[in-house]
Every structure is written in structure tokens, then in C-alpha cells.
Amino acid sequence: MLPVTGLGEIREGDDLASQLGAALRPLEPRDGDVLCLSTKVVSKALGLRVDPAQREQAVADAGVRTVARRLHTRVVTSVVQIPSGPVMAAAGVDSSNAPDGPLLLPEDPDACARALREALVTSLGVDLGVLLTDTSSRVWRVGVGDIALGAAGVAALQDLRGGLDADGRPLTVTVRNLADELAAAADLVKGKSSGVPAALVRGVPGATALDIPARELSRTGAEDWFRRPSLESVWVALGLSPAQEPIARMSPEPPAERIARALAVAAVPRRDQQPSTASVRMLGEDGPTPHIVVEAVDASGAALIDAATTAERLRTALGAESLSTPLPEITVEISVPDPLQEPS
């Protein structure tokens, strides 16, 4: 991994390919090398900036769909899918090293990578690949690392199926994400604090043997197994629209807060339906065994259906809140106002 130095600050309208070519020449690029460049540099050259006051609107506009929202202190972070496929926090809108305003990601990073590669191959006379990278976290992993958002002239995916492992057993499911591996390796010698936005990765066999765009790296549509986190999935099933969904906190939340959210979620009527006539009372809220009573407005069949529906919505919402960390045992009871009736 060879750091690319001497690039300088890129500004809107700069000939990025020309400046990259000049910075790369001292490294004597070879056929098979892969240039890993921070996508932010491309955004600067294209002038993809927004006013800081418009940052949240820019995040909303850049997202194809919202996957989740989480509250950290007073800041809400939206995790969204961007047009090129990846799911990213804040749609990749980044304020670091951007004194003139937050930077947006290009809508088609693969096209930007192709344009850069064509210009560099022509000026340098070598067959190199280009990756546009950005920092991202991974599902079920702590910390961040660089991934590939755009690719040109790179075997972004290497299909190893049909080969053999070290013990001679056939490989049946292994498809290596080489682009992300190259991006992560390059990040070891570049970074925001060092002012090195690019690195040349050399000596990886087959790195430029194929030309697979980075768009192929994202699991989207029917291949996306985890379109919504557990809480949001249940809220959708209960009929909440995105605008009606509450926002959970990033940090662990106390049981009382999660129970209160379940009560609020259960009270939201499905689309085109009237609010429930049943009322809900919370008993023993501060004790070890909270108790929820759903009271029917009267003993009519319609009122009992409303109460039973509310109780089931409550149980479902409480169950969702218990998926990450179990809540204490909670009794949900239906009460009918007729004194001759026993609670059921």
C-alpha cells in the first residue's frame, strides 16, 4: 500500500485526473495497480456541497429509503440506502475535512471511477484499476473501515466457487469482496488526519483481471435480508407509517422508556381506521412487575373487540422492545366496566 502524497487541496472545478496523474508518477504505476481514492475528493471536485443549515434536508433528499433512525444525545442519525446501493449513516453526507460545508456523495460513483480510470490510463500508459472509497461501519461489527463505493477496471468480486479449499473440499458459496478488502487495506496508509486521500495498492494477483462495478457489491431488493431492524419491522407490521415511527436511542434505554414507547406505538391506529375506544392504564410502573390494564369503554361487542385489539398490539410492541434486551415480565389485562364481569 503506497500513500499518494502531494495531491493538495481539491476545489470545485479542478482537473482531478490531471492532478492525480502528477501525484502518481513518482510511484511509477504498473499494470495491475489499484488506485484507492477517497470519494470525498471527487465530491470536492464536483462541488457537491450543501449549506450546513440544509444538512438534514440533504440527508433526506439523498436517501432512496430510510432503514432506521437513532437518537444520540440530541442528534438524530438516519441510516438510509443511497441511489448507488449501499446503506449508510446520514447518506454518507460528511462534514469532516469540509470547511466550506458538508459534502454529498456522487449519485453514480461507478461512473466517476470509470471517468477517472480512462483519463489515468491514457495519461500514465498503464492498465490500473480505480476504487472510490468511503468510511462505513459494518452490521454486527464495532468500529469503521473503508469500503468501495465506486469501481472501474477492478475485479470487485472474485467468484471462488468451484475451487478447492486447503483440505481439497469444493468451495460452494465463497465469493470474495475484493474491492472492500482493497479499500480497507489502502486505508492503513491514508486518512483524514494525515491529509493523504489516496493510496496505490500493488501486488494483488488478479485485482484488475475483471471489470465489476461497485454497485454489484450491495445486497438490495429481494436479496436484502435485513431491510429494517427488529423494532422498525414490527412497527411496519403494526401499520405505522415512517412519519409515525418513534426514534429509539443509540445507547441502551431503561425498561420504563421502552415500555412507554410500546404503549405509544400500540395507540397508533392503522391507516383508515379510527383510534381505539379502549383506554390503557399502567400500574406498578416503578415496581419489579409492571401491570397494564386495557379498559373497554363498555360491554358491547365492538368495545370488546377494540380492547382486545389494543391488548394484542401492546403485546406485540412489548415483544419487539424485548428482542434486544428482555423487559421484565409484564401482565396485559383486559377490563370490562360492568362490575359483574371479572377481568379477563
Side-chain angles (χ1 to χ4, degrees):
M1 288 82 72
L2 307 172
V4 179
T5 58
L7 187 59
E9 180 64 23
I10 300 298
R11 304 195 180 279
E12 182 177 356
D14 282 354
D15 186 342
L16 181 56
S18 176
Q19 295 192 36
L20 277 170
L24 283 168
R25 283 190 180 91
L27 299 177
E28 299 180 351
R30 308 172 186 173
D31 289 348
D33 286 354
V34 177
L35 172 67
C36 297
L37 174 69
S38 171
T39 309
K40 180 180 295 183
V41 174
V42 177
S43 297
K44 288 182 177 181
L46 294 175
L48 301 179
R49 297 183 186 274
V50 294
D51 187 283
Q54 300 299 316
R55 184 180 186 277
E56 293 309 312
Q57 186 59 49
V59 172
D61 293 342
V64 174
R65 64 183 180 91
T66 298
V67 175
R69 295 178 297 167
R70 289 294 182 268
L71 179 65
H72 180 60
T73 60
R74 297 180 180 179
V75 179
V76 175
T77 296
S78 296
V79 179
V80 302
Q81 180 183 335
I82 60 177
S84 55
V87 173
M88 305 188 72
V93 178
D94 195 353
S95 299
S96 60
N97 282 350
D100 299 326
L103 291 164
L104 307 177
L105 293 174
E107 189 164 316
D108 191 345
D110 284 326
C112 294
R114 281 196 303 274
L116 272 178
R117 178 178 182 271
E118 289 170 2
L120 291 171
V121 167
T122 298
S123 65
L124 298 174
V126 294
D127 184 21
L128 82 169
V130 172
L131 291 178
L132 300 186
T133 71
D134 198 16
T135 302
S136 179
S137 58
R138 310 291 180 96
V139 177
W140 299 316
R141 301 293 289 177
V142 176
V144 296
D146 264 25
I147 63 171
L149 296 186
V154 178
L157 290 172
Q158 289 186 330
D159 192 345
L160 305 181
R161 291 172 295 183
L164 300 176
D165 66 12
D167 296 319
R169 290 172 297 195
L171 298 172
T172 58
V173 296
T174 303
V175 179
R176 173 187 288 157
N177 183 335
L178 182 64
D180 283 353
E181 290 184 339
L182 293 171
D187 195 46
L188 294 173
V189 297
K190 67 183 184 69
K192 298 175 181 177
S193 59
S194 62
V196 179
L200 202 62
V201 181
R202 177 172 294 164
V204 180
T208 59
L210 297 172
D211 186 1
I212 299 176
R215 180 177 288 275
E216 298 296 321
L217 305 176
S218 297
R219 288 187 183 273
T220 57
E223 291 190 358
D224 187 350
W225 297 352
F226 313 105
R227 288 185 64 82
R228 302 297 305 275
S230 55
L231 272 177
E232 283 81 356
S233 294
V234 175
W235 295 340
V236 170
L238 287 173
L240 272 66
S241 68
Q244 293 171 321
E245 292 180 2
I247 302 175
R249 285 195 281 164
M250 288 185 184
S251 54
E253 299 164 303
E257 189 171 326
R258 292 151 60 205
I259 293 170
R261 184 166 56 229
L263 291 170
V265 166
V268 176
R270 284 185 174 275
R271 190 177 303 172
D272 301 327
Q273 290 186 358
Q274 295 298 317
S276 175
T277 59
S279 58
V280 178
R281 286 189 297 125
M282 186 77 183
L283 305 176
E285 189 171 354
D286 299 325
T289 55
H291 188 94
I292 298 175
V293 178
V294 180
E295 296 181 327
V297 68
D298 54 45
S300 66
L304 291 175
I305 289 173
D306 262 8
T309 300
T310 298
E312 287 308 307
R313 288 176 64 86
L314 261 172
R315 292 188 180 104
T316 301
L318 289 168
E321 295 288 347
S322 296
L323 288 173
S324 58
T325 305
L327 288 169
E329 184 175 343
I330 302 171
T331 301
V332 179
E333 181 180 277
I334 298 175
S335 177
V336 180
D338 186 339
L340 299 179
Q341 293 278 351
E342 292 291 333
S344 58

